[in-house]
Amino acid sequence: MGESKLIVVSVRLPVRLERTGEAWQASPSPGGLATALRSVARKRPFTWVGWPGVSVPVHLQDSAAAALTDFGRPVFLVQKEFQGFYEQFSNRLIWPLFHNISGRLKFDRSAWYRYRVVNERFADAVLEVAEPGDTVWVHDYQLALVPRLLRKSGLECAIGFFLHIPFPSHEIYRTLPAREEFLLGMLGADLIGFHTYEFAQHFRNACLRVLGIESEREVIALPDHLAHLGVHPIGVDPQEIHAFAQLPEVKDEFESLRARFRTKKVILGVDRLDYTKGIPEKLLAFEEFLRRNPHWQTKVVLIQIAAPSRTGVQEYRDLKREVDELVGRINGRYGTFNHTPIVYINQTIPRTRLSALYRLADVAFLTPLRDGMNLVAMEYVAARTDNPGTLILSEFAGAASCLAGARLVNPHNIGLMADVLADALHNSSAVESEFQGMRDFVHANTSEAWAQRFLKRLDEFHDNRRAGAKRLDAVCINVVEPQRRLFILDYGGTLQPHVPQVSEAVPDRRVRSVLHELASLASVYVISRRSAAVLDRWLGDLPIGLVCEDGVAIKHAGGDWPAMPEIDPTVLDTMVKPVLEDFAEHTPGSKLVRGRVALGWHYRTVDPKLGALRAKGLYAQLEDTLKGLPYAVLRSNRAIEVRPARLTKHSVAERLLESHADAELVFCAGNDRVDEGMFEVALRSERDNVITCFVGDKDTIGQYFVESPAELVDQLETMVSLWLEPPVIGSELRGSGAAPAAK
Ligand code: GDG
């Protein structure tokens, strides 16, 4: 096997693809990412998967792919896909939402559908080129579903994901209609990278509040793997920036600009013309500065480069008009015959000019309302090798957390920005030591170092991965050989989805039918928190065993319920209740729930963060209080419960295993921490064939998982059909035929 390769997946291939008649010409169009990956790509085999940037008619796709061979594996998109996936969902929904601009939210179901389909196309393209042992690095919000799609496909590769834009606070994130699927998509990765600690924390918080996944520090535990969260601020290439500045044409450009603005202070803004970049706010601040400081009016110039971006999107056209008007107004008001206060360039300027401008500008004025990082800030610092300048930077840019020598501003505070600008120009000799600190950061944290560090972490995490649960696949596990089988199945959340109303929790036809069929092949027990009467109504006609109230009593198939146990309430009333009451009083939204044998504290409607914190404290306190007593303290999904140890699911599982000592296959399924108590018992029993299956997206001690009750029912149906299949001589999957017995 050759050396493992790196597969980079981003929405765009770093290429310019042009058509002449039926032929295609591809030339490199390296962006920041391609530069960052250059050194990594030199060291190991490397492939890029992405869209080539233009629409390619189906009959010309083969020839276009051939022209792109040296650049990577193209994913072609037709116009409708491009619009829905890219313009609508990615750029008109996720982009504003993740930049805290939720007023612009436009959720369109068909765009979401396109987004999913295109993400599947990207994942399929990766699967075509990937081999076991490769590393796949997926980039940015347009492809958030790809990591999970790859993981679900069973790909044996390290999977990394990097989010180049901010991750918003939960208050904003939760407004996204597809919030669960989007989060789970990213969680398919082994390592998820963010520019700042704040974004990583927002993500972790969203996992708790949207998915209910509690996590420790920087790891989100999922059934089949750990998704690590990493803070990896991207960088630039200072050496290249420096080398570029030495080019004769850049020097010429610099001299001519210097001559042109020699009597003036130069303030520079370089942004894509995007509403997140705070260009109108910057212009207003500059206007306010001129108004407050008349003596500066003819001595300072703001050069604002606003490279056109997403011109097909209405919001961007509106922004262009707004900026045009503001520039016109300010220049009209403060301009003179010989002086124009704002030099506004609504074009992408050549790198030579940009490089010269970085050297020329006394002040870089960068005021995004929200920005993942802001590379311009870093480029400005890197370009000022000889004399420092002043960097005025929005505190809402990721770069603000790395560039300690910048003067931070709130871009919504126009007056403050005007004052900071005045101060920067008055005290224009920037402090060398502060600037040097920023240079040091930019030199230590280059784009290449960023890529190398991310990939190193990714490989480490992948190498040290724990043996997590596997997705349950009835065809692959050995369910056929064993003749005597015992099934212990939790009900709510396991066989049937959780619903708010008990009346709606009635088993559906499929569940009843699979239980019925299963019962002819195995001993089946269903455990539920419902009363004996409710269970009888729902499932009493089936030839299966029932366990009521999460372990209070067992009714065997065809038998009757035993007398319900009476318990002495002293311990619950005197030792447990006061503690629970105290917690309920101090935790708004939580409440005490009294069952026949149990006392519980439920925090389903409590703020998840507070609930998790209090639950931890309560659990520890109860364990301590009840030490040595025959009571169990149980943590389930958003509840803590105390009940006699003999009346728990755990003890039911022990008894069932005892009474089915001859069962060769034990299958146990549940969706809750309490159910994991049953898993423990089953796994400890040392039977040859134990299958413990967790239903859900959280960490589990179960060996297998499925994502939903529907998937579990699917798998149970498959098992039934495998058992009922007539034996095939010589086949690996020898059917056992219908063989009930102690079943
Ligand atoms: C996303 C995130 C994150 C701009 N105008 C011209 C020009 N540029 C170059 C700059 C810089 C790049 O474009 C812009 O980078 P930013 O980081 O400022 O912003 P986004 O494009 O929004 O990038 C951002 C980044 O991803 C990386 O993770 O930092 O937060 O939004 O390199 O120099 N280059 C030329 N002419 C121009 O007119 N030649």
Side-chain angles (χ1 to χ4, degrees), residues 95 99 162 164-165 195 234 270-272 277 305 307 347-351 354 358 371-376 379:
W95 177 266
H99 286 87
F162 193 86
H164 289 262
I165 65 172
H195 287 307
I234 199 170
V270 180
D271 307 274
R272 278 189 306 101
K277 299 289 182 182
I305 312 297
Q347 291 163 30
T348 302
I349 58 167
R351 269 191 81 195
L354 186 59
Y358 283 149
D371 215 336
M373 177 52 76
N374 195 299
L375 294 178
V376 173
E379 288 164 4

Side-chain angles (χ1 to χ4, degrees), residues 378-425:
M378 299 200 165
E379 288 164 4
Y380 179 68
V381 171
R384 313 277 310 176
T385 43
D386 35 10
N387 69 331
T390 302
L391 173 61
I392 301 179
L393 178 63
S394 161
E395 64 187 67
F396 299 113
S401 63
C402 316
L403 299 176
R407 306 182 77 153
L408 299 187
V409 290
N410 173 357
H412 300 280
N413 189 338
I414 305 297
L416 173 87
M417 285 201 287
D419 286 348
V420 172
L421 206 48
D423 190 56
L425 291 170

Side-chain angles (χ1 to χ4, degrees), residues 306-502:
S309 181
R310 303 175 192 170
T311 45
V313 178
Q314 186 58 43
E315 285 81 357
Y316 287 74
R317 292 200 290 264
D318 295 345
L319 174 71
K320 181 177 173 331
R321 194 172 329 108
E322 186 186 355
V323 171
D324 286 349
E325 281 171 16
L326 272 173
V327 170
R329 182 177 90 194
I330 299 166
N331 278 344
R333 188 171 297 165
Y334 294 102
T336 65
F337 194 70
N338 293 319
H339 174 72
T340 306
I342 302 174
V343 175
Y344 175 61
I345 315 287
N346 182 208
Q347 291 163 30
T348 302
I349 58 167
R351 269 191 81 195
T352 42
R353 178 155 297 166
L354 186 59
S355 175
L357 281 170
Y358 283 149
R359 274 192 71 198
L360 180 76
D362 302 283
V363 176
F365 193 24
L366 306 169
T367 59
L369 306 179
R370 196 72 172 141
D371 215 336
M373 177 52 76
N374 195 299
L375 294 178
V376 173
M378 299 200 165
E379 288 164 4
Y380 179 68
V381 171
R384 313 277 310 176
T385 43
D386 35 10
N387 69 331
T390 302
L391 173 61
I392 301 179
L393 178 63
S394 161
E395 64 187 67
F396 299 113
S401 63
C402 316
L403 299 176
R407 306 182 77 153
L408 299 187
V409 290
N410 173 357
H412 300 280
N413 189 338
I414 305 297
L416 173 87
M417 285 201 287
D419 286 348
V420 172
L421 206 48
D423 190 56
L425 291 170
H426 281 300
N427 307 304
S428 59
S429 50
V431 183
E432 174 66 42
S433 61
E434 283 184 3
F435 208 84
Q436 189 53 43
M438 296 200 285
R439 276 195 203 113
D440 291 346
F441 178 83
V442 166
H443 279 269
N445 191 68
T446 62
S447 53
E448 286 190 5
W450 164 78
Q452 280 163 0
R453 284 183 199 139
F454 182 93
L455 290 168
K456 186 163 172 267
R457 291 294 275 168
L458 174 57
D459 283 340
E460 277 166 18
F461 288 138
H462 191 64
D463 289 346
N464 298 334
R465 68 189 183 275
R466 57 172 193 166
K470 291 197 204 83
R471 205 178 187 96
L472 182 68
D473 182 346
V475 178
C476 295
I477 54 178
N478 178 22
V479 290
V480 179
E481 299 267 334
Q483 302 287 303
R484 287 176 295 276
R485 308 148 188 144
L486 169 64
F487 276 63
I488 308 174
L489 306 168
D490 172 61
Y491 180 76
T494 300
L495 281 171
Q496 196 74 46
H498 274 308
V499 283
Q501 295 296 327
V502 180

